[in-house]
Amino acid sequence: MNQSNIIKKDLSNLPVKPNLNNYDKAYSEIKWQELEKNVDFFEDGTLNIAYNCIDRHALSSHKKNKTALLFESSTGEKETYTYLDLYKSTNKFANVLDNLGVEKGDRVFIFLPTIPERYTVFLGILKLGAIAGTMFAAFQEMALLDRLADSEAKIVVTNAVLYPRIEKIWKDLPNLEKIIIIERGSVDQPKGEKIIYYNHEMEKASEEFEAVHMQKDDPSYMLYTSGTTGKPKGVVHSHKDIVSAIATTKYVLDLQENDIYWCTADLGWVTGVVYGVLGIFGLGGTTVAFEGKFSAENWYKILQDYRVSIWYTAPTAIRMLMGSEIKPKEYNLESLRFLGSVGEPLNPEGVWWGLEEFGLAFHDTWWQTELGSISITNFQALDIKPGSMGKPFPGVYGAIIDDEGKELTPNEEGNLALKKDTVYSLMIGIWNNKAKFDSYFNGQWYISGDRAYKDEDGYFWFVGRADDVIKTSGERVGPFEIESALVEHEKVVEAGVIGIPDDLRGEIIMAFVVLKPEIGESEELKEELKMFVKGKLAGHAYPRKIKFIKKLPKTRSGKIMRRLLKAHELGLPEGDTSTLEDY
Ligand code: WT7
């Protein structure tokens, strides 16, 4: 790469000295053991995420009245919550659950939009030692059923608007004992013997609760995520993850005492959990939470009105902003001082655009649901090579290896892997699926499923996925889930699903559909199928492109050869087809 394409960091020009000001030094010196000191452990060596996020600040004189949450609703109402407010509300909610008989290790799932109660509920669950599961408000019945059935959730917390989707599937959820409805914003409340109301219960609950002592490896939160095969899998994380959430928020996102922080990810995704809650509250910082929809106008207004200084977002959003008529320069965004991006490849154009429009480069960060915190990344104090994901976080050992686990030389493409013992917040398991968990590892290595290379300066460059997982608008979608939804349609025999490149969304979902012989092909039917999948899974997880096909390419053992569908669609070489059945 041409030197002029490197963004040189001049530390003397920065308004605030970064928490990490020398990458090489930090990489050689910082150890996880050292980073544990940013967290409060109880005297018996146990800890609790919620205690670290809320209680320790609320119990300190200088932090208790500090603003933790600045909320803006979709209709523009504003609310402010201090650490003391969240201390009381999380204690109350932990008591509500306790009174309902929820025990350590029980699964409590959250199905809500971005409202303040969602934070209270999430942290209240952790305080009690139950496992918090989060779900995106766009999920429809099939996506909900997969998650709630597999996890055997005992309680779901939702609202009147979303409740009907759960009601439809409740008969298939024998373990689901109670539904808690948050009253905010609705007049008509659903009724039922097993339905209870949040405010009603909270009023009765005590404000006193002592956070349950959890072992480092006791489960804290779980999130379902997609792979190539089968239904989404429950990735389980532990209470010790607060250590790396804090460390990365401090040293990568560079959070400092007076920052106003905004992570745009929803709590339904891992970024929303780790960087929307754990890291920011763990450090006693102030975060913005915005319920409204994405638009250039809405987002720039939030950045401006709240004087956001640290902004962590995603490439699809950046590309949408780049394409908008509304420009950042129409707003006063002078408070911004650090920009981060995660979830999918950030094109160099995005980095340069940031520099041009905000006077700041976006810092690309790489990690996965399974890893629990930023693992390979750019830093405020490290030169950026636009298009590169940067370098490993101190304490993490990242490498490019071949299929046998041998490290490759610089610029050779291979499997992006991490030494498993160096990923502090690595998942502790896949819910009820040991075989799947084991399949991630090859000896000392955790295999990410991404293909990448490392250059001679130690910077990592993303190449693509090694499997059929689709990344659309930064969201991970398994082809099998879309195929399963499609075949539930009465006119469909079978379907093969792939991701194809898209300028805005990174990839879009494309389906090849085999119709029953008597069914005629039509554009209307394509629309019908799109709507059908949308209604089953989620607003974002549907095939934007559909092609009818007479027969799917399959291996002799009956597996759909998605690679071949992709090769045909994109005009790429077919590769090895020796296992292909007659086609
Ligand atoms: C997959 C993980 C981790 C938070 C959100 C995504 C892709 C993630 C980058 C990046 C290129 C990226 C990878 C990875 N990905 N960040 N900076 N550059 N690709 O978590 O849903 O678990 O997805 O997202 O393919 O394996 P996730």
Side-chain angles (χ1 to χ4, degrees), residues 1-59:
M1 164 173 287
N2 183 326
Q3 283 299 318
S4 65
N5 284 341
I6 297 179
I7 298 174
K8 289 270 179 203
K9 295 296 187 69
D10 177 1
L11 299 194
S12 61
N13 255 343
L14 295 173
V16 181
K17 184 169 171 263
N19 288 328
L20 182 153
N21 54 38
N22 181 333
Y23 173 79
D24 291 330
K25 190 160 177 282
Y27 192 81
S28 68
E29 286 175 3
I30 297 181
K31 304 276 175 286
W32 286 116
Q33 223 179 349
E34 201 58 35
L35 296 171
E36 285 183 347
K37 293 187 182 146
N38 292 316
V39 163
D40 284 1
F41 287 84
F42 300 119
E43 271 172 16
D44 58 1
T46 61
L47 79 171
N48 187 301
I49 287 182
Y51 179 88
N52 275 284
C53 286
I54 305 295
D55 302 13
R56 63 166 170 165
H57 307 308
L59 298 170

Side-chain angles (χ1 to χ4, degrees), residues 225 270-271 342-346 364-370 389 448 450 462 465 471 474 476:
T225 194
V270 74
T271 309
V342 66
E344 41 173 334
L346 174 64
D364 191 14
T365 69
W366 177 92
W367 56 297
Q368 304 179 300
T369 305
E370 293 87 339
M389 309 190 291
S448 70
D450 284 355
F462 180 81
R465 285 290 304 185
K471 266 271 158 170
R476 198 158 140 185

Side-chain angles (χ1 to χ4, degrees), residues 17-18 54 70 172 402-403 425 441 449 461 478 490 550 563:
K17 184 169 171 263
I54 305 295
L70 290 160
D172 301 316
D402 65 13
D403 291 344
S425 50
F441 305 99
W461 299 76
E490 52 178 19
K550 292 290 168 228
R563 177 173 56 78

Side-chain angles (χ1 to χ4, degrees), residues 360-402:
L360 300 165
F362 281 98
H363 293 74
D364 191 14
T365 69
W366 177 92
W367 56 297
Q368 304 179 300
T369 305
E370 293 87 339
L371 300 173
S373 57
I374 296 170
S375 302
I376 291 180
T377 182
N378 288 281
F379 294 83
Q380 180 78 316
L382 184 69
D383 294 347
I384 295 180
K385 297 192 184 187
S388 161
M389 309 190 291
K391 299 190 178 193
F393 184 76
V396 175
Y397 188 88
I400 306 296
I401 62 170
D402 65 13

Side-chain angles (χ1 to χ4, degrees), residues 263-437:
C263 164
T264 60
D266 186 274
L267 188 73
W269 315 119
V270 74
T271 309
V273 171
V274 180
Y275 296 102
V277 181
L278 307 192
I280 177 69
F281 290 155
L283 280 165
T286 301
T287 185
V288 170
F290 176 53
E291 185 192 19
K293 283 205 163 60
F294 168 85
S295 75
E297 199 180 353
N298 282 348
W299 278 29
Y300 291 143
K301 224 172 151 321
I302 292 283
L303 293 172
Q304 169 183 273
D305 293 356
Y306 291 90
R307 298 193 53 76
V308 171
S309 53
I310 297 185
W311 179 33
Y312 193 27
T313 191
T316 295
I318 295 169
R319 289 189 291 263
M320 287 181 170
L321 293 174
M322 285 169 75
S324 169
E325 302 263 284
I326 299 168
K327 303 290 172 209
K329 291 195 169 126
E330 297 165 33
Y331 295 80
N332 179 352
L333 305 177
E334 63 182 12
S335 53
L336 282 172
R337 70 170 192 88
F338 183 85
L339 313 182
S341 165
V342 66
E344 41 173 334
L346 174 64
N347 348 29
E349 295 75 24
V351 181
W352 294 116
W353 177 78
L355 208 53
E356 173 68 29
E357 296 290 332
F358 305 98
L360 300 165
F362 281 98
H363 293 74
D364 191 14
T365 69
W366 177 92
W367 56 297
Q368 304 179 300
T369 305
E370 293 87 339
L371 300 173
S373 57
I374 296 170
S375 302
I376 291 180
T377 182
N378 288 281
F379 294 83
Q380 180 78 316
L382 184 69
D383 294 347
I384 295 180
K385 297 192 184 187
S388 161
M389 309 190 291
K391 299 190 178 193
F393 184 76
V396 175
Y397 188 88
I400 306 296
I401 62 170
D402 65 13
D403 291 344
E404 276 69 56
K406 189 172 100 357
E407 279 195 58
L408 300 176
T409 54
N411 298 315
E412 256 189 292
E413 181 193 317
N415 302 305
L416 172 52
L418 306 169
K419 272 191 189 162
K420 64 180 182 205
D421 296 339
T422 70
V423 185
Y424 190 90
S425 50
L426 185 67
M427 60 178 167
I428 51 169
I430 296 286
W431 190 258
N432 274 340
N433 199 335
K434 170 106 174 44
K436 174 67 196 176
F437 179 73

